[in-house]
Amino acid sequence: ALDLQSKALNYGSHHELLELVESKLVESNIDYVSVDSLVQLEEHLETALSVTRSKKTELMLKLVEGLKAKEKLL
């Protein structure tokens, strides 16, 4: 998870990644987008998605732990 987060920091925020994708597609001729460019964008988006899923899982586990602690108090 830490490796994914460090990679994500190199790529910027998810919003920035989406803007990058849009700018690459706009600046490229719609009839021609290089495969390398698309592969690189796919890797960036996959990393961002992995980081998002990891953070979501972490938050859900903290929430469950909190609920279990509240349950013990009752």
Side-chain angles (χ1 to χ4, degrees):
L2 292 176
D3 185 42
L4 288 175
Q5 288 177 346
S6 65
K7 283 183 181 180
L9 290 175
N10 292 335
Y11 298 141
S13 72
H14 299 1
H15 181 70
E16 291 170 339
L17 284 173
L18 290 175
E19 286 179 349
L20 175 66
V21 170
E22 184 178 9
S23 69
K24 290 284 186 183
L25 292 175
V26 167
E27 75 184 35
S28 300
N29 185 350
I30 297 299
D31 296 332
Y32 174 76
V33 177
S34 74
V35 173
D36 290 335
S37 177
L38 290 175
V39 168
Q40 184 181 21
L41 290 171
E42 179 184 24
E43 289 172 359
H44 289 280
L45 292 171
E46 284 178 356
T47 301
L49 182 60
S50 295
V51 169
T52 301
R53 286 180 175 158
S54 175
K55 184 67 175 175
K56 179 183 173 186
T57 300
E58 179 185 332
L59 292 173
M60 291 297 292
L61 289 173
K62 285 182 180 180
L63 178 65
V64 168
E65 288 174 12
L67 291 173
K68 284 180 180 180
K70 278 186 180 179
E71 185 180 47
K72 287 181 181 180
L73 294 175
L74 298 176

